[in-house]
């Protein structure tokens, strides 16, 4: 979404040792830890870098269609950097962070990644969330030999391109691809007894990739995708959705699978309700919609009930050995539990610093060479980042066990995870009700 000019896209925030708490204040965080909606330029601060220590970046959406989720992810990275710096930093020096808002926009993401790589000269970047933004950023990262680790981009396209060698080893993610989540959601639909399902998706790598994975898996389970020959795919920049809503719910399928982002998806669901086409049809959503804000954005009925009540969905779960410690730290700093994808962002940043320490090299080449070594067996299983750094400094092999999961990164940069099943309750709150795994 081009709501903010390219100049503002290039606004950045740099965090260094001792500046974390001040930076949080400048980012207008509320007690729950969610950043405010003021522009990046309005809350930018700059701290000097030593020039020789490890410098990493974050490229995450604090504005735009995914801001409500991205703000939580963006908050995890400086928290990790601050933690690392309190226990000695990396390669004997403090770690510096440069944070960029990608605005949930591929153009802004490409501009931000270019600046991180060529001006700030970071060794690694945590980002992005939207698959379309990561698609725009990863070629720039690879060209400039910067390690990019996404905590949220789930499109299967990245696996396919990695297999072809397009990323030259400068890509990984701490969230499993939709080639796993699609089948997991198909399993859920089958378990619920749905035989006829239609799909409506955002027309980008995330939406179309998820749709393909779901359709293949659901048909194998004996289900029918009623609009397979004429799928509903909406423009990410669209602002009205009457036609798409009508088409998605046409023919009264048992359920409609919506692969959306929060702002646009909420508008589509609201339109479906206002047209009266969604009554009696189960709505199934995905990780891109699991935000506490979305039920309120869809709105309420005339009698005050949440329109989204009863909606179900899936999201990559966080069940790693380090989750409890992260939750306690987050609670102590922000007064709440970490939000969706914050554990994945924490783990992405952790892998960058551990790999740099293992390589004894703060460059992207050094980091990329050690990502799989620090994240996978063999090695001492360790979830505490300071303990992990200590072991690596002593020359020991480690197998980092993350907050989101075991983050065993494979040759394509992928990890395999479990999925939480969530539901919107009558009071508009989102509750995790089950877990599902792809077969």
């Amino acid at each position: 979404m081009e709501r903010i000019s390219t100049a503002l896209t290039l606004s950045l925030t740099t965090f260094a040792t001792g500046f974390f708490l001040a930076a949080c204040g400048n980012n207008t965080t509320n007690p729950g830890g969610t950043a405010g909606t003021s522009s990046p330029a309005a809350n930018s601060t700059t701290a000097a870098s030593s020039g020789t220590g490890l410098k990493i970046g974050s490229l995450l959406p604090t504005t735009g269609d995914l801001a409500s989720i991205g703000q939580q992810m963006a908050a995890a990275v400086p928290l990790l950097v601050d933690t690392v710096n309190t226990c000695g930093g990396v390669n004997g020096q403090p770690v510096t962070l440069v944070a960029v808002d990608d605005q949930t926009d591929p153009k802004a993401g490409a501009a931000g990644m270019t600046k991180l790589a060529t001006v700030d000269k970071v060794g690694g970047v945590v980002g992005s969330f939207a698959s379309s933004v990561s698609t725009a950023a990863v070629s720039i990262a690879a060209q400039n030999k910067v390690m990019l680790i996404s905590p949220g981009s789930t499109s299967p396209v990245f696996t396919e391109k990695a297999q072809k060698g397009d990323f030259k080893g400068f890509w990984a993610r701490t969230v499993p691809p939709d080639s796993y989540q699609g089948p997991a959601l198909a399993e859920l639909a089958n378990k619920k007894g749905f035989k006829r399902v239609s799909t409506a998706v955002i027309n980008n790598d995330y939406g179309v990739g998820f749709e393909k994975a779901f359709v293949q898996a659901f048909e194998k389970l004996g289900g029918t995708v009623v609009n397979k020959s004429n799928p509903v795919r909406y423009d990410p920049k669209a602002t009205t959705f009457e036609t798409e809503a009508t088409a998605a719910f046409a023919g009264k399928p048992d359920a409609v699978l919506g692969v959306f982002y929060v702002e646009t998806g909420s508008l589509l669901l609201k339109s479906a309700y206002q047209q009266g086409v969604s009554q009696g049809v189960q709505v199934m959503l995905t990780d891109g919609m699991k935000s506490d804000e979305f039920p309120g954005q869809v709105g309420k009925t005339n009698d005050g009930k949440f329109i989204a009540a009863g909606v179900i969905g899936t999201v990559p779960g966080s069940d790693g050995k380090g989750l409890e410690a992260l939750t306690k730290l987050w609670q102590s700093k922000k007064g709440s539990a970490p939000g969706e994808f914050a554990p994945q962002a924490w783990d992405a940043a952790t892998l960058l610093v551990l790999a740099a320490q293992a390589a004894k090299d703060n460059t992207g080449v050094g980091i990329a060479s050690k990502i799989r070594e620090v994240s996978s067996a063999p090695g001492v299983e360790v979830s505490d980042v300071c303990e992990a750094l200590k072991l690596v400094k002593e020359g020991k092999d480690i197998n980092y066990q993350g907050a989101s999961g075991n983050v065993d990164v494979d040759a394509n940069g992928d990890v395999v995870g479990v999925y939480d099943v969530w539901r919107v309750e009558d009071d508009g709150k989102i509750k995790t009700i089950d877990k599902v795994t792809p077969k």
Side-chain angles (χ1 to χ4, degrees):
M1 285 190 169
E2 296 185 71
R3 298 183 177 179
I4 301 177
S5 68
T6 301
L8 289 184
T9 302
L10 299 181
S11 298
L12 53 86
T13 302
T14 304
F15 296 80
T17 307
F19 281 84
F20 172 70
L21 293 177
C24 283
N26 286 330
N27 280 334
T28 61
T29 54
N30 65 26
T34 303
T37 56
S38 54
S39 71
N43 52 27
S44 292
T45 58
T46 303
S49 167
S50 65
T52 56
L54 174 63
K55 183 185 287 188
I56 65 173
S58 67
L59 185 68
L60 296 164
T62 55
T63 59
D65 208 350
L66 287 172
S68 59
I69 306 174
Q71 288 164 0
Q72 289 283 317
M73 303 166 75
V77 186
L79 186 58
L80 181 280
V81 170
D82 184 61
T83 300
V84 168
N85 286 339
T86 60
C87 61
V90 171
N91 292 322
Q93 295 188 31
V95 178
T96 303
L97 171 64
V98 184
V100 174
D101 172 19
D102 67 35
Q103 303 174 33
T104 328
D105 186 300
K107 291 182 180 179
M113 185 68 237
T114 298
K115 187 175 189 302
L116 287 170
T118 62
V119 177
D120 301 302
K121 297 188 181 301
V122 299
V125 173
V126 177
S128 181
F129 184 18
S131 292
S132 58
V133 179
S134 288
T135 295
V138 67
S139 59
I140 299 168
Q143 180 181 355
N144 288 279
K145 298 180 179 179
V146 174
M147 185 68 204
L148 184 66
I149 305 183
S150 171
S153 294
T154 57
S155 171
V157 171
F158 295 107
T159 304
E160 298 167 9
K161 291 185 176 181
Q163 289 171 339
K164 296 176 183 177
D166 289 4
F167 306 142
K168 303 175 184 177
F170 292 98
W171 162 263
R173 48 185 164 184
T174 52
V175 62
D178 290 330
S179 51
Y180 297 124
Q181 187 177 181
L185 194 52
E187 289 283 349
L188 178 62
N190 184 63
K191 181 179 178 181
K192 294 285 185 180
F194 303 145
K195 301 299 182 184
R196 300 174 64 255
V197 174
S198 66
T199 62
V201 308
I202 189 168
N203 193 12
N204 60 18
D205 286 347
Y206 168 57
V208 176
F210 198 115
E211 177 188 58
K212 178 181 177 181
F214 173 83
V215 170
Q216 290 178 344
F218 190 58
E219 288 181 337
K220 285 183 180 179
L221 293 170
T224 299
V225 178
V226 298
N227 65 339
K228 180 180 177 181
S229 61
N230 191 26
V232 176
R233 298 172 179 171
Y234 71 83
D235 185 342
K237 297 183 182 298
T239 56
T240 58
F241 298 91
E242 286 79 6
T243 301
E244 291 85 353
T246 300
F249 288 85
K252 288 294 182 181
D254 298 329
V256 170
L257 166 65
V259 187
F260 309 142
Y261 290 163
V262 176
E263 290 190 12
T264 48
S266 297
L267 289 173
L268 192 151
L269 293 177
K270 185 174 184 177
S271 178
Y273 169 77
Q274 291 173 335
Q275 295 181 70
V277 297
S278 59
Q279 185 174 358
V281 180
Q282 176 67 58
V283 174
M284 300 189 301
L285 300 176
T286 62
D287 52 315
M289 285 293 288
K290 190 175 184 295
S291 165
D292 290 338
E293 284 77 14
F294 111 78
Q297 289 179 258
V298 178
K300 295 182 178 180
T301 63
N302 291 334
D303 56 0
K305 296 179 180 179
F306 282 91
I307 296 170
V311 166
I312 59 174
T314 54
V315 64
S318 298
D319 63 349
K321 294 181 179 179
L323 181 59
E324 182 178 356
L326 174 60
T327 301
K328 288 181 179 179
L329 177 62
W330 200 282
Q331 185 74 43
S332 70
K333 296 290 186 181
K334 302 177 182 298
S336 65
E340 299 301 331
F341 293 97
Q344 284 84 357
W346 170 276
D347 288 341
T350 298
L351 291 179
L352 291 177
V353 300
L354 292 179
Q357 184 63 62
K360 296 182 176 61
D361 183 353
N362 295 328
T363 69
V365 173
I367 294 171
S369 72
K370 295 293 184 178
I371 288 292
R372 294 188 67 195
E373 181 178 306
V374 299
S375 66
S376 308
V380 178
E381 292 190 358
V382 57
S383 58
D384 181 87
V385 61
C386 290
E387 178 64 21
L389 283 168
K390 178 177 178 291
L391 291 172
V392 172
K393 290 173 184 177
E394 293 172 353
K396 296 179 180 178
D397 292 334
I398 65 164
N399 178 7
Y400 174 65
Q401 304 290 293
S404 62
N406 60 29
V407 293
D408 289 347
V409 178
D410 68 16
N412 299 316
D414 289 338
V415 297
V416 179
V418 298
Y419 296 91
D420 291 336
V421 179
W422 53 272
R423 180 178 63 207
V424 179
E425 301 294 285
D426 291 342
D427 61 359
K429 302 294 185 182
I430 295 178
K431 180 181 179 181
T432 299
I433 60 173
D434 200 358
K435 290 187 182 293
V436 63
T437 56
K439 294 182 179 178

